Amino acid sequence: MRVTDSLATAVEYPDTPAGAIVSVAWRIEGAGRVVGGLLPRGHPDGGTLGKRILRGERVWAAEMLPWEQEISAEMSLVEPGPPGSPARIIVHGPSGDIVGYLDQPGLPPGRLQRLTTGLSRDARQVRIRAGGRVWWVRATHLFGVRVMRDSGVLVYATRGLHAEFEPVADSLDMSVVLLTLASIPSSAYAPILGF
């Protein structure tokens, strides 16, 4: 499945809560239109800190709730923390909610965590755990991203200006990967100096 950029508004997606701020939109071959956005703090469905959301035609709705960080229009992305303070993911599957967690295992706790891990590329991988699976989000080349599931199964990769889900990717893979990429800053997994 190929991912391409597209312009969209929340009005185009009837499942998107009113007042949601759409920050990214895709058109995915085989899955249709998908948007990632935010419900800031104070939104009726946003909760006390706000949350990131994913909605689309043929992906499962999902949301990411930060650990202790407020989401607003100005600070709209979720910074993944160490395992002791992960962001929470909820994927609304057809047979019930799937709860998961997003963190950076190599990230030590504390205020200087970004500075202390800045020299270690391995510390810049993001881990997602949900539904008995584990995904690893890593940077490749200058602007690329690869997502591996469980024991080395590639589910998503960018190739030049295109992004593709592998044939093994299912609805849970797509929901988790797209929610993560739409919700966290690229600096969370970007390699140092682009290599």
Side-chain angles (χ1 to χ4, degrees):
M1 294 180 190
R2 195 174 294 258
V3 180
T4 58
D5 288 330
S6 174
L7 296 176
T9 64
V11 176
E12 297 177 41
Y13 299 89
D15 193 26
T16 305
I21 301 171
V22 175
S23 56
V24 64
W26 301 280
R27 182 170 295 280
I28 304 176
E29 291 180 13
R33 298 176 301 171
V34 181
V35 295
L38 67 134
L39 304 178
R41 178 178 172 250
H43 187 283
D45 299 321
T48 57
L49 296 175
K51 62 185 172 185
R52 299 286 307 185
I53 60 169
L54 180 79
R55 297 292 187 271
E57 294 178 357
R58 289 185 216 119
V59 298
W60 295 343
E63 56 196 44
M64 183 182 297
L65 295 88
W67 177 254
E68 292 179 332
Q69 166 198 352
E70 179 180 321
I71 292 182
S72 66
E74 294 77 29
M75 299 290 291
S76 65
L77 297 177
V78 176
E79 288 278 356
S85 57
R88 190 161 55 107
I89 292 176
I90 301 173
V91 179
H92 304 291
S95 58
D97 288 350
I98 302 167
V99 178
Y101 299 93
L102 178 141
D103 60 20
Q104 285 188 268
L107 197 63
R111 297 175 54 88
L112 300 177
Q113 57 193 16
R114 288 275 177 236
L115 295 176
T116 58
T117 59
L119 300 178
S120 173
R121 179 175 179 176
D122 289 343
R124 286 318 209 24
Q125 57 191 351
V126 175
R127 177 178 63 178
I128 309 151
R129 295 166 287 157
R133 300 179 184 178
V134 177
W135 295 265
W136 293 95
V137 181
R138 302 176 191 204
T140 59
H141 306 297
L142 189 57
F143 298 110
V145 179
R146 289 173 64 88
V147 181
M148 307 292 282
R149 180 183 71 201
D150 298 326
S151 56
V153 177
L154 179 66
V155 294
Y156 175 89
T158 55
R159 293 176 175 87
L161 298 177
H162 298 285
E164 292 183 359
F165 281 97
E166 299 298 317
V168 297
D170 60 17
S171 295
L172 180 58
D173 292 319
M174 292 177 60
S175 298
V176 166
V177 170
L178 292 175
L179 175 66
T180 300
L181 295 180
S183 300
I184 67 174
S186 61
S187 62
Y189 55 82
I192 305 305
L193 301 178
F195 50 69

